[in-house]
Amino acid sequence: MDFKYYSVKEINAFLTAKGLAVNKKFGQNFLINSGVCDTIVRNLELTPNDVVFEIGCGLGSLTNRLIDSSAAKVVGFEIDNAYQKHLQNIFRDSCKFTLVAGDFLKEFENAVKTHLAPGQQPVITGNLPYYITTPIMEKIFTATLGFSRAAFMMQKEVGERVVSKAGNKKYGSLSIFCQYYSEPKIIANISPASFYPQPNVNSVVLRFVHRTYEPSADNEQLFFAVARSLFINRRKQLKNNFALSPFLKSIPLEHIFQAMEQCAIAPEERGENLSIEQIIHLSNVINKLNSESKI
Ligand code: SAH
């Protein structure tokens, strides 16, 4: 495939010829470092059994590497009309590639149903539009079919929050959410010079492998409500955050305090010190006390 958009000069010539502009609204920062595209593809460990879904193909710099990989099919999402036309044009000869012209957040579940065989799970990747990184991860992690592997480019600061463990200042509800559903790992640090136009933040590539937590949360909604409550005010002790929490309004406070005692979690502890295992245990005990009191 004759792909030639790995330099500022080439991209500029293309944009000028087509009368196109880079649209900040859609988080467009195109990858011009082909080595970074190769790192992402290598880490996805694609096989001929895989269907890979790419979020935000843009000019196609990652897409063309995915098409050249061992994956069986590449399904790309692109929201911007102007780039949809470009993608359809440059990949028109590839029988591996399908473009979903629309918003990933709206189209993902449908595309998964259309392109996967029963029992097959998607592999997902993308140099994410940074303005919707969190909604994208929420969509993927909670999708009915789940996913097997993923690799995403995101803002460094967000990536560090995703992988942080209990006790770390960056540990928070995003870390708990992502680590409940997956094992995330930072696999590369990427400088702004790898993109055009250059973003004003540093970036990282994260690799995610799907997992199911054992033991799991009996009531996932309650588990995430407890997790979010821990960080209402980082400087406050747990007992105060629980008392203040808008996420646990339907649970009597005495059940929460009783559960903390049963789980040997001190009321003076700070949320950032509780591991995911402890939060699962705590939410399971709260859930039990709460359902027993309703019988
Ligand atoms: N993968 C390309 C482009 C990355 S920039 C590269 O690395 O060069 C992010 C891309 O996501 C842009 O092309 C933007 O138009 C697209 N995008 C933004 N929001 C989107 C959404 N909700 N659904 C699908 N694509 C989206």
Side-chain angles (χ1 to χ4, degrees):
M1 195 178 315
D2 176 29
F3 186 86
K4 52 177 175 24
Y5 303 99
Y6 290 122
S7 80
V8 175
K9 204 171 136 211
E10 288 153 356
I11 293 179
N12 264 327
F14 169 78
L15 296 176
T16 311
K18 300 281 172 191
L20 289 174
V22 172
N23 199 335
K24 277 205 179 129
K25 182 177 91 179
F26 290 134
Q28 289 172 353
N29 297 99
F30 302 116
L31 262 171
I32 53 171
N33 184 334
S34 61
V36 174
C37 298
D38 293 336
T39 302
I40 295 175
V41 175
R42 201 172 48 247
N43 274 280
L44 287 169
E45 294 173 4
L46 296 163
T47 73
N49 292 323
D50 289 319
V51 178
V52 56
F53 293 75
E54 189 201 353
I55 305 163
C57 301
L59 287 166
S61 53
L62 179 58
T63 323
N64 86 95
R65 293 297 211 259
L66 294 168
I67 293 172
D68 284 347
S69 77
S70 314
K73 275 201 240 174
V74 181
V75 180
F77 298 81
E78 178 51 60
I79 200 168
D80 189 330
N81 230 304
Y83 293 92
Q84 289 163 2
K85 287 198 195 103
H86 160 74
L87 292 161
Q88 256 148 356
N89 183 34
I90 56 167
F91 299 131
R92 66 182 177 274
D93 294 331
S94 168
C95 50
K96 255 195 196 182
F97 180 70
T98 309
L99 178 71
V100 180
D103 182 347
F104 171 80
L105 295 173
K106 293 195 184 125
E107 307 294 337
F108 175 59
E109 300 230 25
N110 232 340
V112 156
K113 279 191 212 133
T114 311
H115 293 281
L116 292 181
Q120 206 178 8
Q121 283 189 314
V123 177
I124 311 170
T125 191
N127 165 19
L128 297 188
Y130 292 173
Y131 74 109
I132 45 166
T133 299
T134 308
I136 287 175
M137 289 194 290
E138 281 171 2
K139 169 70 66 195
I140 292 166
F141 292 157
T142 58
T144 329
L145 270 175
F147 69 103
S148 57
R149 301 175 310 284
F152 298 129
M153 175 82 71
M154 62 183 75
Q155 201 174 321
K156 185 174 184 193
E157 194 266 330
V158 178
E160 286 175 347
R161 285 200 277 133
V162 168
V163 300
S164 282
K165 300 281 186 200
N168 188 300
K169 271 200 187 68
K170 293 181 178 158
Y171 179 66
S173 40
L174 183 66
S175 333
I176 296 166
F177 179 79
C178 293
Q179 292 172 37
Y180 183 75
Y181 291 110
S182 74
E183 284 175 62
K185 199 174 164 208
I186 293 179
I187 54 168
N189 281 293
I190 314 291
S191 82
S194 289
F195 303 89
Y196 176 79
Q198 295 195 11
N200 38 30
V201 292
N202 286 316
S203 303
V204 284
V205 178
L206 262 82
R207 178 185 147 90
F208 297 82
V209 178
H210 180 262
R211 78 157 146 215
T212 20
Y213 235 96
E214 284 304 331
S216 64
D218 296 335
N219 176 341
E220 283 189 0
Q221 212 183 340
L222 177 63
F223 164 72
F224 288 118
V226 171
R228 289 171 78 187
S229 306
L230 305 180
F231 303 99
I232 289 173
N233 187 335
R234 281 181 180 269
R235 286 184 303 273
K236 280 201 185 345
Q237 299 175 343
L238 275 184
K239 58 174 191 239
N240 296 326
N241 274 336
F242 281 137
L244 280 173
S245 175
F247 310 116
L248 294 168
K249 279 220 160 86
S250 60
I251 311 278
L253 201 54
E254 77 242 34
H255 287 169
I256 300 176
F257 288 163
Q258 212 180 321
M260 285 168 76
E261 206 180 320
Q262 278 191 36
C263 296
I265 295 169
E268 295 74 30
E269 185 58 276
R270 292 189 201 270
E272 65 191 25
N273 292 325
L274 292 198
S275 67
I276 298 184
E277 289 77 2
Q278 282 177 299
I279 305 165
I280 291 173
H281 188 199
L282 180 63
S283 75
N284 284 352
V285 177
I286 297 174
N287 191 45
K288 194 155 168 274
L289 291 170
N290 209 38
S291 36
E292 279 168 3
S293 75
K294 283 183 185 143
I295 297 167

